[in-house]
Amino acid sequence: MDNQPTKPTSAAPAVLVLAGLTGAGKTLAIQQLEQLGYTGLEGIPPAQVIPLVEAMRPHHAALAMSLNLHAQEYREQLPELDAWMRAQGIPFLFLEARPSVLLKRLSAHRRPHPHHTGGGLLEAIEQEIRELAPIRQRCTHLLDTSELNSQQLRQQLQALVQGLPQPLNLRLVSFGFKYGIPPEVNLLFDVRFLPNPFFQPHLRHLTGQDRLLQEFLFADPLTQSTYQQIFSLLRAWWPHYRAERRPHLTVAIGCTGGQHRSVALVERLAQDLQPWTLPANGSGLPELNLQVQHCHLLESQRELEACFGAPPAGPSKEQPEDRIPLAGVLSHE
């Protein structure tokens, strides 16, 4: 039943127009909109949108069209279409993603870039970003797909077409200051003042995902108060990011190596935020899409083993009950 297309609600717009960067997910967005009851059309030159809509609207409950803006002549057709869409109250959605994400996606699928004329792929991506910048400014809605999977993209689109608050994509990141601060962080917390398990030989080779290390850290009153303050700030602030239609919020917690303290606090935050990742208010949409990323965990472990040797055999690394489960949290280690 979950894969059956749904019928658009009366509040959903009858027409939705999409534009965006190559690799940002326009085709996937059209597919997800079709699951929401839309008839999808891809790669339409702007000059053809109005006659297509007028011809098809009497026969289809809802239409979703993605634009072909690769050629300069197509981009020059946009102002007339934009004026018509504004007069009709038609949403104009622009899909984008970080250049590094676009580079990874296009490289993985070996897709030719329309602006790839002999230079590097990243150069082509940056050229398209510049050429589509004026069109991006005309759009009524922006959606960054950098951290979205297909289900999360569908949730964002469902929220848009139904006029619901979109789920906030909250990314919790642990890192080590010795390796550098991750890019594109919104909120950063430095926890290097907390008790350091590195100086406890029986904890040194463990990580912040291990129960024994977490018990050591959270037995300390300073760790408890620090965590409560971080959680309280995040709980108080993230609804305002969501209300401002900021699709992404990245919270980074850093310790020295990114293996012990920062990982433990991120894991605890992920657990405590789980209630907001479930559908709320009968809308079928959660308030949060939660992701966990431990940037330097493996790097720190390798460096530690190079200095101190392999970790001793012990139950904490062998028995699953020593690892606190985090069901439903996406982890990129």
Side-chain angles (χ1 to χ4, degrees):
M1 293 294 292
D2 291 341
N3 293 324
Q4 294 298 315
T6 59
K7 185 177 181 180
T9 66
S10 58
V15 180
L16 178 64
V17 177
L18 290 76
L21 302 173
T22 302
K26 296 189 293 294
T27 294
L28 181 58
I30 290 292
Q31 293 171 352
Q32 297 300 323
L33 285 165
E34 288 174 341
Q35 290 297 314
L36 295 173
Y38 282 74
T39 299
L41 298 171
E42 295 187 67
I44 309 300
Q48 296 182 18
V49 170
I50 297 175
L52 275 173
V53 169
E54 291 177 346
M56 296 180 66
R57 188 149 48 179
H59 310 288
H60 299 271
L63 299 171
M65 298 184 178
S66 68
L67 301 181
N68 183 340
L69 298 171
H70 298 325
Q72 176 64 27
E73 63 177 297
Y74 291 163
R75 295 192 290 274
E76 291 174 353
Q77 297 170 2
L78 205 282
E80 181 179 353
L81 174 61
D82 180 51
W84 177 81
M85 288 191 295
R86 291 182 183 276
Q88 296 279 324
I90 294 174
F92 189 14
L93 173 63
F94 191 90
L95 299 179
E96 59 188 358
R98 298 192 301 272
S100 59
V101 174
L102 295 173
L103 181 63
K104 183 177 180 180
R105 290 175 181 173
L106 294 170
S107 298
H109 292 88
R110 299 181 180 180
R111 290 182 55 188
H113 195 284
H115 295 278
H116 198 180
T117 58
L121 181 54
L122 184 58
E123 180 181 338
I125 291 170
E126 293 172 343
Q127 179 183 346
E128 185 179 41
I129 291 174
R130 291 191 297 270
E131 291 184 351
L132 295 188
I135 295 170
R136 181 183 185 275
Q137 294 298 319
R138 292 179 177 271
C139 290
T140 58
H141 297 78
L142 300 175
L143 182 55
D144 187 325
T145 67
S146 299
E147 306 294 340
L148 300 183
N149 58 34
S150 58
Q151 179 183 1
Q152 293 166 343
L153 175 60
R154 180 176 177 176
Q155 290 174 343
Q156 297 282 356
L157 293 169
Q158 183 180 355
L160 187 156
V161 300
Q162 294 181 359
L164 301 172
Q166 294 176 298
L168 177 70
N169 299 294
L170 177 60
R171 186 162 65 110
L172 303 175
V173 178
S174 72
F175 72 97
F177 276 96
K178 66 186 294 183
Y179 303 111
I181 298 174
E184 300 176 349
V185 170
N186 301 111
L187 301 175
L188 187 149
F189 298 96
D190 181 350
V191 297
R192 286 176 289 183
F193 58 87
L194 297 181
N196 193 347
F198 175 85
F199 298 109
Q200 305 294 323
H202 68 293
L203 300 175
R204 184 175 293 153
H205 284 88
L206 301 183
T207 78
Q209 294 177 316
D210 290 290
R211 185 183 299 275
L212 184 62
L213 189 142
Q214 290 187 357
E215 289 176 349
F216 166 81
L217 273 177
F218 283 93
D220 188 279
L222 181 59
T223 302
Q224 295 178 24
S225 63
T226 299
Y227 173 79
Q228 288 299 330
Q229 291 181 66
I230 293 174
F231 179 79
S232 297
L233 282 174
L234 188 56
R235 179 67 189 94
W237 288 356
W238 71 253
H240 298 287
Y241 279 85
R242 186 177 180 227
E244 287 294 319
R245 297 183 181 273
R246 296 279 296 272
H248 299 278
L249 174 62
T250 297
V251 178
I253 300 179
C255 60
T256 303
Q259 177 176 333
H260 300 127
R261 294 165 289 183
S262 61
V263 173
L265 267 66
V266 162
E267 294 277 300
R268 184 63 61 88
L269 279 175
Q271 284 186 314
D272 289 346
L273 289 170
Q274 282 297 307
W276 290 276
T277 67
L278 303 175
N281 302 322
S283 67
L285 298 175
E287 296 182 60
L288 291 178
N289 286 324
L290 189 61
Q291 294 179 315
V292 170
Q293 181 178 7
H294 298 307
C295 290
H296 301 135
L297 177 57
L298 295 181
E299 192 171 359
S300 179
Q301 286 180 296
R302 293 189 190 104
E303 185 174 332
L304 202 63
E305 289 188 18
C307 293
F308 296 95
S316 61
K317 285 297 182 182
E318 301 295 335
Q319 298 181 8
E321 59 266 24
D322 289 322
R323 180 70 53 96
I324 295 179
L326 291 172
V329 177
L330 176 63
S331 179
H332 301 287
E333 295 184 5

